[in-house]
Amino acid sequence: MKNILLPTDFSDNAWNAIFTALKMFETSECNFVLLNSYEPKISNLLGNKSKERLGVIYDSLYKNSKMQLGKTLHYLQKNHARDNHDFEIESVSNNMENAVKQMVVEKKIDLIIMGTKGATGAKEVFMGSNTVRVIKKVRTCPILAVPGEYDFKALKKVVFPTDFSHNYGKTELRQLLDLVGHWKAEILILQVAQEQKPSESQKQQMKTLSRCLKSVYHSYHTIEMKNNVAEATTKFAADNRADLIALIHYPHTFMEKLTREPVIRKMGFHSKIPLLVLPDI
């Protein structure tokens, strides 16, 4: 049975991520952990607040969190009950990224699925987004970031960008292999190239990757980077009608090195399809 964590702030984006999880793993045995974290506003903690007053604030936040989680659980059990799906709720007094990190360990989480929303202009780069903070903080568990407007139907094509500079193993690719195998989907391995000819080392890593992916259908593609890696990848995904972008969250990834851009963050906000971030195990 898979343990899947569903962080929620009860927003439309969070609900969409929950529905995506239910559809994506409709026929799988899953235990879904609904997580809400809460923190009092800084303004409520400043000034001459008594310990009793702070206690009231925390108690109020806790009760509201439990109430909203209870409503969510009731709705899911009433409208989306399946014999192969279990639900539980967790309310944690902490920021989202630390609460998620705690749950990953305590609940032995296999996958985190949470919603995100895209930036609509140059001034709207949501540095404070819960999703991006979790992606940066939680480096031991796969994270599926689901755009708020995305309507999941099926998983047929997955884009996997890489520069073939790292060793690949089935452990770090396990969640991707499980998902692709379950849906009998295709992996489009994408090299966003600055140099047209791969080095001998890259060729060797291509062979290693092919061995890891031998159980699923996959193909290799190379495109020239015109603007930046994130845009090139998302355009390729759109042109090929992909349903998901998957990448491994290596420290100082090749994309960051090539373009000096925070690729995880940009994809997380601008991709119109879900982004699966795999940990570097």
Side-chain angles (χ1 to χ4, degrees):
M1 176 177 284
K2 285 185 177 294
N3 291 315
I4 298 178
L5 184 65
L6 301 174
T8 179
D9 58 1
F10 315 110
S11 65
D12 289 343
N13 291 332
W15 272 109
N16 189 54
I18 292 172
F19 293 141
T20 298
L22 296 179
K23 289 185 286 185
M24 187 172 286
F25 294 95
E26 182 177 2
T27 60
S28 301
E29 289 192 359
C30 297
N31 179 48
F32 295 104
V33 181
L34 299 162
L35 167 68
N36 176 249
S37 62
Y38 58 92
E39 279 188 311
K41 293 181 179 179
I42 295 297
S43 59
N44 289 332
L45 297 178
L46 298 177
N48 295 320
K49 302 286 184 179
S50 66
K51 290 182 179 181
E52 291 78 10
R53 174 58 179 163
L54 294 179
V56 169
I57 293 172
Y58 273 101
D59 186 58
S60 175
L61 291 172
Y62 172 74
K63 287 180 179 179
N64 182 68
S65 175
K66 294 292 284 188
M67 179 187 69
Q68 295 292 344
L69 281 171
K71 288 181 179 179
T72 303
L73 179 62
H74 176 74
Y75 173 85
L76 292 174
Q77 290 177 331
K78 180 180 179 181
N79 298 283
H80 297 277
R82 286 185 171 275
D83 291 338
N84 57 326
H85 287 173
D86 294 327
F87 297 96
E88 60 179 290
I89 58 175
E90 290 289 340
S91 181
V92 177
S93 175
N94 210 327
N95 58 46
M96 177 62 79
E97 59 267 33
N98 285 330
V100 167
K101 199 170 183 179
Q102 174 185 335
M103 286 296 105
V104 166
V105 176
E106 290 184 6
K107 300 295 181 178
K108 297 181 179 179
I109 298 298
D110 299 298
L111 176 65
I112 302 160
I113 302 180
M114 57 192 305
T116 187
K117 59 182 178 179
T120 57
K123 294 182 179 179
E124 293 186 82
V125 179
F126 296 99
M127 289 291 290
S129 161
N130 280 333
T131 306
V132 170
R133 291 205 302 268
V134 169
I135 288 173
K136 291 173 68 176
K137 184 89 172 184
V138 180
R139 304 294 291 262
T140 60
C141 183
I143 301 168
L144 183 66
V146 182
E149 301 300 318
Y150 183 73
D151 183 15
F152 179 82
K153 301 295 185 183
L155 188 66
K156 297 179 180 179
K157 292 182 180 180
V158 177
V159 173
F160 180 63
T162 179
D163 67 346
F164 305 107
S165 64
H166 294 269
N167 291 318
Y168 303 96
K170 285 189 176 181
T171 301
E172 59 191 355
L173 295 172
R174 180 178 59 83
Q175 188 63 56
L176 177 60
L177 289 170
D178 287 351
L179 196 56
V180 169
H182 177 76
W183 283 93
K184 295 179 173 58
E186 173 188 1
I187 298 179
L188 308 180
I189 303 167
L190 175 65
Q191 182 180 17
V192 183
Q194 285 189 324
E195 298 178 2
Q196 293 300 315
K197 293 184 179 181
S199 66
E200 289 302 315
S201 175
Q202 288 175 314
K203 290 179 181 179
Q204 186 59 45
Q205 297 305 334
M206 289 174 67
K207 292 179 181 179
T208 301
L209 182 59
S210 289
R211 287 195 294 269
C212 290
L213 301 179
K214 66 180 181 179
S215 62
V216 298
Y217 183 70
H218 60 277
S219 56
Y220 289 90
H221 306 264
T222 302
I223 60 173
E224 183 180 351
M225 185 179 69
K226 294 182 179 180
N227 295 316
N228 59 57
V229 177
E231 289 183 12
T233 302
T234 51
K235 183 179 185 305
F236 176 84
D239 291 344
N240 287 274
R241 297 183 179 181
D243 307 292
L244 179 72
I245 295 172
L247 51 82
I248 298 176
H249 198 180
Y250 293 118
H252 310 297
T253 66
F254 75 95
M255 292 179 284
E256 291 174 358
K257 288 182 179 178
L258 287 179
T259 62
R260 297 185 182 277
E261 62 173 333
V263 174
I264 297 281
R265 189 188 71 207
K266 288 194 175 184
M267 283 188 177
F269 288 132
H270 295 286
S271 176
K272 294 182 180 180
I273 61 176
L275 173 66
L276 176 63
V277 182
L278 302 168
D280 173 23
I281 298 176

